Amino acid sequence: MLGRDTILSSLDSFRFPEVVQEHSRFRNPIAKYRLNRNNNCIACGKCVEICPYGVHIMRRGQVFVENHYLCVGNDCTEPCVEACPEHALSMLKNPDFDSIGDLRWTPDLLASTWYMAEFAVSPPAGLEYKRGASGGGFDKLRLVFKSPKTIQKELQDKEVDVSVVLNRRNDNAHRVRIQVPFYGGGMSYGSVSITTMLSRIKAAAALGTFCCTGEGGYPDELKPYDDHVITQVATGLFGVREETIQRVKIVEFKYAQGAKPGLGGHLLGDKVTPGVARMREAVVGYPLFSPFPFHSVYSVEDHKKHVDWIKAINPKALVAVKVSTPTDVDMVAVGSYYAGAHIIHLDGSYGGTGAAPDIAKKNIAMPIEYAVPKVHRFLKEEGVRGRITVIASGGIRTPHDVAKVIALGADAVCTGTADLVALECIRCHNCESGRGCARGIATTDAELMDLIDLEWGAQRIVNMFLAWRRELIQILKKLGMKSLPELVGRTDCLVHLDHMKESV
Amino acid sequence: MPSRYTIHTKLALHRFEPITKSGIIAWEEGCLKCAICVKKRCVYNVYEKRGLDPRQMIDATDNQCMNCFRCIQGCPKELIHKSINPEYKAIGDSHWTPEIITSLWYQAETGKIPVSGAGYPGPFSGNGFDSMWTDMSEIVRPTRDGIHGREYISTAIDLGGTQGYLTFNKKADLMVNPPSLVEIPLPVILKVPTLGAIGKETLKGWAMATRRLGTLLALPQEMIEPPLWDFAECLIPLITVRGDREDGIPKEIRITEIPWAVEWQAMVRELKTSHPSLLISIRIPAAEGVEDKALSLVEGGASIIHLETLPNGRFFDNDGMTTKDGIRSVHLKLVDANLRDGVTLLASGGIAMAEHVAKSLICGADAVIADLPILIALECRICRRCDKGIPCPVEIGGASCTWVAARVVNLMGAWHNQILEVMGAMGIRDVRRLRGEVGRAMFFEDLERSTFGSMEDVGEGYDLE
């Protein structure tokens, strides 16, 4: 764990955690390809010898396909199927693979995130790890890298800095710098298990960044990580106490959530276990509603009163304001700035949730790709862009999404679903039903929670983000940039495939 | 304060096993017969509930599996797999997608709003209504909490033409006949679809549902046979032939509909002779120049216009134009001519989800007409076998009227709650105010142009990633 001074100090003294490979919790990782070996195999070991990915292994004189999931399929330069002298191998697409994921989180994106969580690098081939298949927004945007000739000098990895300053008001609040351009979005105690919560927060601490508690209180287990916790004040005020607000460096007001903008939260009765009920000061087994909106806020002036209240309780705290993305999101952002917020956090409509009406997820408010440039432009015109940090969330799945949204005008991002995918979330969309997540991530069921080991969980998330960081450094290098602030709002580094003019 | 409108829903179970997206394939060969088999550890006890439905040859495992993949990932011999069900992909068509149809089944069964975990899984945008988003209020405008019942959100609308002003004589007597209006508590009118192996029970069930919901059911006049006459006040007979009823339209009927024809004014006069308060909707097909046709109708005194697109929500003469475009152009034409408030605009064709209701209204309709959803509520799979005279795989005609009514009431109950959700988020308490309120919507074309329109140049010698 890092001390209070470490995160405030410069980049040089910060040490990123070591990579420790963490294999899937499940016996059979879901593979894109399947290799079949027939009886013609003479166990010559040719496949074991040539496969660069460790798919085949030799054990007691016999050859087995041990790691289907590492096979890169048709991208392979040394296909074992062709090299096999006995034609004993055949390769086909695994039907399981098409049954997982969706257009935003394609099977490829899920599998590549699992790969990053295991090995801390992007997959070498075989998987599209840069974008999804939603047919718009990030999935239609491309980063434009000019030819290497135009970049004067190639940078070294260590010359590239991906840290981000969160306090730009230069007031009395903490001078917080995060070492990576992302922090963990709010997931409440109750919507996810304590192990999931701790895994995310431990990973955030190791990476020199933060993770938000969500609206469900601040469990005591989190205390060792106070310096990396953002505590949330949301409309239900569940678990909000002066003592918890005084304990942290960042306090987040949640006005709305991208997946259900304009609607309240709802924790099903089944998830209100004795622990959850105690934390939220509620009754076991009864559903809990977070209303919408804050019934004490109907104007920007009311909002300022809120911000002042936090600053009175904890004068050193940074105040983050999480809003969703209506048409007038730019007005909301500038209003937040004048109310005294340090961070404006925009949560786009395609963001994650533990449970939301399908009609809200799809139809209310705008995707983050539209909201960020709108807010960036408006804050710039107002002359205050340099004094507030813009955080984007709601559909950030890959390091390429991070780079794209920063080029659109954000300073950094918030992640949520990606963290859970690192813990082997499969996007079955059943977080809310029955005993909760069958894979032990979004559940308070004692038996299911036990499916995750804290050390494993934290390391998987660390690994994934180390892979993201590595990828972001490569992107900046290809853009000829040494730090992220150079990329903010640089829409000239982006092209949208539907609007692109072929150059002559 | 009018009494609150509530739709009482009640579980109405499916009669046939629903078709699921993917199925489990479990190979028995090579099974180690583990003492603690992954099948025994299923979180949802799916394998314990396993059984074969002989009517459809479906294994119960398939429709109860929640896709957690734990058995697939846990089996030591990798003998369990999942695969997309080809039958699922084959349901419906490009507009009536498997996702929409299965969601309508769920709503008709439970009466509940579809709720799920994790973020939106679908495409970024799409055609028609999928190319717009509704807005929400935040900090600077109040929202309305309708769904939990703390504030009443009205979804009632009026059908019929209104006058811009009233005239009085010197004795303050009203000098004009107040227009006849019909109020319905939900901006959705039901219509018997042209598809479907329906029977007398089906029609009666739809009529029962219509009465319970307080809305109206449109159907061809010739379908109205004795048992349905009891429901006359909630029926809209669709009249196709001039003067085929010598006794005129019965007094209980409040609204009727005729297709557009050159002599439409004569038809309206004829119908009104025997039934002066009758409201007459005039149906116009969405096609090139439909807004001019609509304008001429209003100028000629029409009080209700029904804009109709194909069942897939497209124009009759242009596949690139959708219900959304039709409503917008007619609405704006009438607004420009200062005639919009004098007429009710109904829209039909491709209305498949609750969001289409809200979006149609935002685009400028007063209400929508839903046809296929009331058939899909009865487990229809849009297989169109009935068109070819092949027996219906879900035997719709054999369903009892009480079950039919319960399913349709459930579906509309779920739609009503979803309309309340989006209206609450928009901060609108009366659905009449939603009409034409494009300030509460965002359109794909506008957002794309203003956001990405300038991201077009890549220069020379570049790599895209």
Side-chain angles (χ1 to χ4, degrees):
Chain A
M1 197 195 74
L2 296 157
R4 180 168 289 261
D5 296 319
T6 321
I7 53 164
L8 304 180
S9 65
S10 70
L11 180 69
D12 305 334
S13 61
F14 184 81
R15 285 181 67 100
F16 279 96
E18 295 294 314
V19 174
V20 181
Q21 282 188 18
E22 289 288 1
H23 191 64
S24 166
R25 293 183 272 152
F26 300 99
R27 191 191 176 284
N28 317 319
I30 298 171
K32 184 170 181 177
Y33 301 100
R34 277 196 74 79
L35 286 161
N36 287 333
R37 181 185 308 278
N38 67 25
N39 291 337
N40 294 345
C41 176
I42 51 165
C44 66
K46 180 79 181 166
C47 50
V48 182
E49 177 193 317
I50 62 161
C51 177
Y53 307 106
V55 173
H56 305 269
I57 58 145
M58 174 86 79
R59 197 189 292 139
R60 287 189 227 105
Q62 271 191 297
V63 185
F64 299 90
V65 182
E66 178 85 351
N67 298 308
H68 288 287
Y69 77 109
L70 296 177
C71 174
V72 301
N74 295 327
D75 285 357
C76 190
T77 49
E78 306 254 11
C80 52
V81 176
E82 284 167 29
C84 176
E86 301 298 321
H87 305 289
L89 287 168
S90 58
M91 186 198 72
L92 63 157
K93 190 111 183 270
N94 182 2
D96 297 340
F97 199 68
D98 290 330
S99 318
I100 62 168
D102 48 59
L103 295 176
R104 291 201 64 81
W105 276 91
T106 56
D108 274 38
L109 272 190
L110 290 171
S112 51
T113 305
W114 293 330
Y115 189 95
M116 293 184 203
E118 179 165 356
F119 299 107
V121 290
S122 304
L127 296 170
E128 173 55 83
Y129 68 91
K130 293 170 185 161
R131 62 189 86 93
S134 73
F138 292 132
D139 294 341
K140 275 278 175 82
L141 282 172
R142 297 289 182 274
L143 292 158
V144 183
F145 300 131
K146 304 279 187 277
S147 71
K149 276 178 288 183
T150 59
I151 296 169
Q152 285 151 6
K153 176 175 148 289
E154 190 165 343
L155 296 162
Q156 298 297 305
D157 281 9
K158 63 175 191 302
E159 289 178 274
V160 180
D161 175 12
V162 294
S163 70
V164 174
V165 171
L166 294 184
N167 182 358
R168 292 154 198 248
R169 293 188 86 97
N170 293 324
D171 55 7
N172 288 329
H174 294 294
R175 300 292 165 96
V176 176
R177 175 188 286 273
I178 48 177
Q179 302 299 336
V180 282
F182 28 83
Y183 63 75
M187 281 182 218
S188 64
Y189 178 60
S191 76
V192 294
S193 74
I194 187 71
T195 318
T196 303
M197 217 173 173
L198 280 170
S199 299
R200 298 181 70 219
I201 285 179
K202 248 181 102 116
L207 292 160
T209 183
F210 286 78
C211 186
C212 179
T213 57
E215 180 187 33
Y218 195 143
D220 285 343
E221 291 90 330
L222 269 52
K223 264 190 175 166
Y225 310 100
D226 278 351
D227 281 348
H228 299 278
V229 169
I230 300 174
T231 196
Q232 195 176 71
V233 179
T235 50
L237 301 176
F238 291 120
V240 174
R241 281 177 290 141
E242 291 200 353
E243 181 260 329
T244 56
I245 288 171
Q246 282 161 349
R247 223 196 264 166
V248 295
K249 289 209 164 70
I250 307 179
V251 178
E252 174 177 289
F253 275 108
K254 189 189 87 170
Y255 280 88
Q257 185 180 339
K260 42 185 164 183
L263 310 179
H266 182 184
L267 188 70
L268 297 172
D270 287 346
K271 281 194 167 183
V272 185
T273 59
V276 172
R278 202 178 322 113
M279 189 63 60
R280 297 193 181 210
E281 298 173 69
V283 181
V284 177
Y286 277 78
L288 295 176
F289 294 91
S290 259
F292 191 92
F294 273 111
H295 290 306
S296 45
V297 179
Y298 285 96
S299 66
V300 169
E301 291 75 19
D302 289 345
H303 170 48
K304 181 171 187 319
K305 182 186 67 192
H306 256 180
V307 175
D308 290 345
W309 163 48
I310 294 299
K311 289 185 172 177
I313 298 171
N314 182 352
K316 295 281 276 178
L318 267 67
V319 177
V321 179
K322 176 176 178 177
V323 296
S324 132
T325 49
T327 308
D328 53 3
V329 60
D330 41 2
M331 296 293 292
V332 171
V334 86
S336 279
Y337 169 75
Y338 285 116
H342 297 88
I343 297 168
I344 178 83
H345 172 177
L346 312 171
D347 194 23
S349 63
Y350 293 160
T353 173
D358 291 348
I359 190 171
K361 288 184 193 176
K362 180 181 168 200
N363 299 296
I364 310 179
M366 61 169 97
I368 193 67
E369 293 94 322
Y370 297 137
V372 165
K374 195 174 162 80
V375 166
H376 175 72
R377 210 178 310 132
F378 200 73
L379 290 171
K380 248 172 95 172
E381 284 163 12
E382 188 70 16
V384 300
R385 179 65 186 88
R387 279 176 281 163
I388 188 161
T389 305
V390 177
I391 301 286
S393 68
I396 309 287
R397 304 151 297 177
T398 66
H400 285 75
D401 287 350
V402 178
K404 287 169 190 172
V405 85
I406 290 175
L408 287 171
D411 293 300
V413 307
C414 227
T415 63
T417 304
D419 307 22
L420 302 189
V421 174
L423 301 179
E424 298 193 283
C425 162
I426 199 164
R427 295 269 291 176
C428 69
H429 299 271
N430 293 321
C431 331
E432 88 302 348
S433 58
R435 293 160 65 191
C437 172
R439 297 170 76 89
I441 302 164
T443 181
T444 49
D445 180 280
E447 190 190 327
L448 293 172
M449 264 166 59
D450 266 358
L451 289 170
I452 297 185
D453 169 73
L454 174 58
E455 292 306 317
W456 176 88
Q459 189 64 46
R460 290 274 294 190
I461 296 172
V462 163
N463 286 349
M464 177 186 74
F465 283 132
L466 288 176
W468 281 33
R469 177 175 178 270
R470 187 190 287 249
E471 199 71 44
L472 277 167
I473 289 174
Q474 298 314 311
I475 289 170
L476 282 184
K477 275 170 66 180
K478 284 188 243 177
L479 290 165
M481 294 177 182
K482 275 186 170 175
S483 68
L484 279 173
E486 295 172 56
L487 181 60
V488 176
R490 285 286 302 275
T491 51
D492 58 311
C493 297
L494 292 172
V495 69
H496 191 285
L497 295 187
D498 289 346
H499 302 274
M500 182 168 83
K501 282 193 283 200
E502 279 299 327
S503 60
V504 246
Chain B
M1 175 94 183
S3 65
R4 293 189 169 198
Y5 178 63
T6 339
I7 298 175
H8 298 283
T9 60
K10 201 177 148 198
L11 188 70
L13 284 177
H14 51 251
R15 298 159 67 234
F16 291 80
E17 286 303 331
I19 298 172
T20 45
K21 188 172 180 180
S22 54
I24 295 172
I25 305 161
W27 304 102
E28 305 296 333
E29 199 180 333
C31 174
L32 298 170
K33 309 278 180 220
C34 302
I36 322 165
C37 172
V38 284
K39 293 180 181 176
K40 289 184 187 156
R41 287 186 298 183
C42 172
V43 175
Y44 303 104
N45 298 322
V46 162
Y47 291 94
E48 282 172 29
K49 297 176 194 156
R50 187 169 192 160
L52 189 75
D53 178 346
R55 274 190 304 185
Q56 296 169 84
M57 299 305 287
I58 281 182
D59 194 323
T61 320
D62 290 349
N63 57 48
Q64 302 203 355
C65 170
M66 303 285 276
N67 296 308
C68 77
F69 273 68
R70 279 182 57 189
C71 57
I72 294 156
Q73 292 195 259
C75 175
K77 293 294 264 182
E78 300 179 47
L79 294 176
I80 308 173
H81 293 283
K82 278 220 96 166
S83 180
I84 296 286
N85 181 1
E87 211 183 346
Y88 177 84
K89 282 198 205 161
I91 316 175
D93 53 38
S94 61
H95 182 82
W96 298 88
T97 60
E99 288 80 10
I100 288 178
I101 291 174
T102 47
S103 170
L104 292 174
W105 290 345
Y106 169 82
Q107 295 172 61
E109 177 160 314
T110 62
K112 288 181 181 164
I113 296 181
V115 171
S116 59
Y120 172 63
F124 186 82
S125 67
N127 294 310
F129 291 119
D130 284 349
S131 63
M132 62 186 283
W133 291 273
T134 67
D135 199 14
M136 51 89 67
S137 301
E138 196 161 60
I139 303 181
V140 288
R141 283 181 286 159
T143 53
R144 300 294 177 183
D145 177 14
I147 197 72
H148 300 135
R150 287 187 306 134
E151 286 181 282
Y152 185 60
I153 294 183
S154 167
T155 52
I157 58 130
D158 303 303
L159 301 170
T162 54
Q163 282 149 342
Y165 54 90
L166 299 172
T167 45
F168 298 88
N169 67 11
K170 287 191 174 148
K171 283 185 276 174
D173 299 325
L174 190 58
M175 296 304 286
V176 286
N177 286 326
S180 43
L181 290 176
V182 169
E183 189 184 270
I184 49 172
L186 189 68
V188 183
I189 292 170
L190 310 180
K191 183 181 171 223
V192 173
T194 50
L195 188 74
I198 60 169
K200 285 204 165 76
E201 282 282 299
T202 324
L203 281 176
K204 191 179 170 198
W206 281 338
M208 285 161 65
T210 307
R211 177 176 283 165
R212 238 184 274 166
L213 294 164
T215 183
L216 295 154
L217 175 69
L219 74 174
Q221 190 184 21
E222 57 276 13
M223 274 190 186
I224 307 178
E225 288 182 355
L228 284 191
W229 281 118
D230 295 344
F231 297 91
E233 87 287 352
C234 50
L235 301 181
I236 304 180
L238 305 173
I239 299 171
T240 42
V241 192
R242 261 183 92 173
D244 64 336
R245 286 190 67 88
E246 285 160 13
D247 50 346
I249 300 283
K251 290 283 171 278
E252 294 81 13
I253 298 280
R254 296 179 292 169
I255 307 185
T256 184
E257 182 171 291
I258 56 170
W260 184 89
V262 183
E263 72 282 12
W264 68 271
Q265 278 170 309
M267 291 172 75
V268 168
R269 261 196 309 277
E270 240 167 65
L271 288 165
K272 289 228 180 196
T273 328
S274 62
H275 190 337
S277 67
L278 185 70
L279 286 174
I280 299 160
S281 156
I282 297 148
R283 183 168 72 247
I284 46 173
E288 170 101 41
V290 68
E291 60 276 18
D292 295 323
K293 194 179 260 183
L295 181 62
S296 74
L297 281 172
V298 184
E299 285 170 342
S303 60
I304 305 176
I305 302 174
H306 167 191
L307 174 76
E308 183 186 39
T309 57
L310 290 167
N312 64 2
R314 304 305 172 110
F315 273 36
F316 285 84
D317 61 347
N318 183 349
D319 203 39
M321 296 285 280
T322 66
T323 311
K324 178 196 99 175
D325 308 313
I327 299 171
R328 287 196 87 184
S329 62
V330 169
H331 172 75
L332 291 175
K333 186 83 180 182
L334 297 177
V335 168
D336 285 345
N338 256 329
L339 290 169
R340 181 62 186 92
D341 284 332
V343 65
T344 301
L345 177 61
L346 305 176
S348 76
I351 303 297
M353 292 192 276
E355 65 200 60
H356 296 167
V357 181
K359 288 177 174 179
S360 295
L361 268 51
I362 287 173
C363 287
D366 290 277
V368 300
I369 300 174
D371 48 10
L372 284 175
I374 66 168
L375 188 66
I376 296 170
L378 313 180
E379 299 182 274
C380 171
R381 301 166 178 181
I382 315 285
C383 64
R384 298 180 198 277
R385 282 183 216 173
C386 44
D387 275 355
K388 301 173 201 123
I390 305 170
C392 174
V394 289
E395 298 159 23
I396 286 176
S400 74
C401 59
T402 46
W403 182 83
V404 169
R407 296 277 293 194
V408 173
V409 167
N410 280 350
L411 178 62
M412 286 302 127
W415 279 25
H416 180 241
N417 275 339
Q418 290 172 82
I419 294 167
L420 295 188
E421 290 270 33
V422 287
M423 285 177 66
M426 285 186 273
I428 287 189
R429 285 179 70 181
D430 189 330
V431 84
R432 295 178 177 98
R433 281 197 48 213
L434 196 57
R435 188 192 75 193
E437 181 52 286
V438 285
R440 293 292 207 277
M442 301 175 261
F443 292 93
F444 174 74
E445 308 83 56
D446 303 340
L447 288 169
E448 279 284 304
R449 204 181 318 111
S450 64
T451 313
F452 301 133
S454 61
M455 297 178 203
E456 50 179 25
D457 284 327
V458 286
E460 278 174 46
Y462 59 86
D463 265 333
L464 297 185
E465 193 173 300

